[in-house]
Amino acid sequence: MVTIENNCFSIPQICESGQCFRLDAVSEDTYELLAGSRYLKIRIRENLAEAAGRDGNRKANSQGETILYCTQEEYDTFWKEYFDLSVSYSDYIGQIDEQDDYLKSAAAFGGGIRILRQDTWEMIITFILSQQNNIPRIKGLIRALSERYGKKCETPEGRAYYAFPCAEELSRAAEEELRELKLGYRSKYICQTARMVAGGEIDLDALKEMEYTEARTELMRLSGIGGKVADCICLFALHQMDAFPVDTHIKKVLELHYPHGFPFEKYRGCAGVMQQYIFYYDLKYH
């Protein structure tokens, strides 16, 4: 077990921030997370899940603890980086313009969010599935794909779960098979993208070394990936912190609160964090 102080770290807020679709609440204070083939049980002390919903993020940002049921070695070699726990998000919040009341409120409300460092391949497929979809359905489609094509694994308690299928596994899937799983028009995109990655047309490791604009352009070569989806992958997998995905929530906020444009120059290196504060605030509070 590893215990983390909830300093700008809230599993309930991360769960509902639209960046991770294999993190689920299984009780009031317990969550389960799948990342690739890894499993993690998480428990929140002091009932922070309820506190975060009742009064925004006050406790989630500064009080209580989160318990990760993993070894210290697993934490040091994977989960610490996954949750971006080496970075001070209070410093990001401190960069917010004092005159920007909206963004200050958004950060106060969702300041427990962190930008996860997720697997690039998993995020490519996840955000292809996210198009014209809602969060519960996205979760269901990811589960169906994993159960059909991923490797069967077991939790420490002996319960079965399924790893996210790799590009090679999905490249062997027929479009008709994916349509049977209710993936709809996305089936074609996933088949083509899986074959491109499995065949080496896109080098996922090379993406990690690219600058934001280059990585975004390279991702848009894949079937079914436009600018918004590419930005999501850049932010939530490649950790390109200047990526700023614009969906209907963000577009509405920009039109209302930033009619002359969002001040990206003020937030170089952390614009993606601000995007998540805005997204979560608009999603949950308005």
Side-chain angles (χ1 to χ4, degrees):
M1 282 192 317
V2 175
T3 300
I4 310 296
E5 290 187 8
N6 290 338
N7 180 21
C8 292
F9 182 51
S10 167
I11 291 296
Q13 291 182 4
I14 292 170
C15 183
E16 298 182 341
S17 67
Q19 63 174 306
C20 180
F21 298 94
R22 304 192 85 195
L23 173 61
D24 295 292
V26 293
S27 71
E28 191 173 90
D29 65 351
T30 304
Y31 288 74
E32 291 181 326
L33 170 62
L34 301 179
S37 61
R38 295 174 184 266
Y39 167 87
L40 181 66
K41 179 181 175 182
I42 305 167
R43 179 159 289 155
I44 303 163
R45 283 183 175 158
E46 298 185 11
N47 198 19
L48 291 188
E50 180 181 343
R54 186 176 62 246
D55 60 12
N57 74 308
R58 194 162 58 248
K59 283 189 176 181
N61 280 359
S62 59
Q63 298 179 25
E65 298 173 330
T66 296
I67 302 169
L68 308 182
Y69 286 81
C70 63
T71 66
Q72 187 67 47
E73 181 183 7
E74 289 170 328
Y75 173 75
D76 290 338
T77 59
F78 185 80
W79 295 114
K80 184 177 182 180
E81 181 179 21
Y82 179 90
F83 288 115
D84 208 25
L85 287 168
S86 297
V87 176
S88 171
Y89 276 62
S90 60
D91 287 348
Y92 290 145
I93 292 172
Q95 294 181 42
I96 296 175
D97 188 338
E98 279 298 319
Q99 306 302 313
D100 192 335
D101 291 334
Y102 178 82
L103 190 52
K104 285 197 301 181
S105 296
F109 185 80
I113 294 170
R114 286 175 177 260
I115 306 298
L116 304 181
R117 294 176 179 267
Q118 300 179 83
D119 178 73
T120 306
W121 169 246
E122 189 168 338
M123 290 301 96
I124 286 171
I125 298 303
T126 292
F127 282 99
I128 289 176
L129 291 174
S130 75
Q131 297 176 73
Q132 304 296 314
N133 236 332
N134 57 52
I135 290 175
R137 191 159 188 277
I138 297 165
K139 286 175 176 279
L141 295 178
I142 292 170
R143 190 179 307 114
L145 264 185
S146 300
E147 290 176 358
R148 178 71 176 268
Y149 300 105
K151 291 182 174 65
K152 187 175 182 179
C153 307
E154 282 191 355
T155 70
E157 292 84 11
R159 289 184 292 108
Y161 69 93
Y162 292 85
F164 193 84
C166 67
E168 289 74 17
E169 289 165 332
L170 278 186
S171 71
R172 296 190 289 269
E175 184 179 336
E176 294 74 20
E177 294 174 2
L178 299 185
R179 288 186 178 273
E180 289 173 4
L181 298 178
K182 310 300 183 186
L183 271 64
Y185 69 88
R186 306 166 194 85
S187 302
K188 179 180 178 180
Y189 298 153
I190 289 174
C191 283
Q192 292 176 344
T193 288
R195 288 164 190 162
M196 289 179 72
V197 172
E201 293 182 54
I202 297 286
D203 185 340
L204 300 187
D205 288 330
L207 283 172
K208 299 173 185 177
E209 306 302 321
M210 295 179 184
E211 297 294 330
Y212 163 51
T213 54
E214 184 183 4
R216 186 178 191 269
T217 299
E218 186 72 359
L219 284 165
M220 289 172 65
R221 291 177 54 210
L222 292 168
S223 181
I225 294 184
K228 183 257 182 178
V229 168
D231 277 333
C232 289
I233 300 164
C234 282
L235 183 57
F236 304 133
L238 301 177
H239 216 68
Q240 294 283 1
M241 301 293 265
D242 284 321
F244 193 91
V246 177
D247 69 348
T248 54
H249 289 279
I250 300 297
K251 184 178 180 181
K252 179 179 68 175
V253 169
L254 294 181
E255 290 173 348
L256 182 62
H257 295 281
Y258 303 96
H260 302 297
F262 187 77
F264 290 103
E265 69 282 355
K266 291 181 183 292
Y267 303 111
R268 287 178 182 161
C270 63
V273 181
M274 304 306 156
Q275 187 270 2
Q276 279 286 274
Y277 294 154
I278 292 170
F279 176 86
Y280 181 77
Y281 189 46
D282 187 71
L283 179 71
K284 301 295 291 183
Y285 189 69
H286 293 88

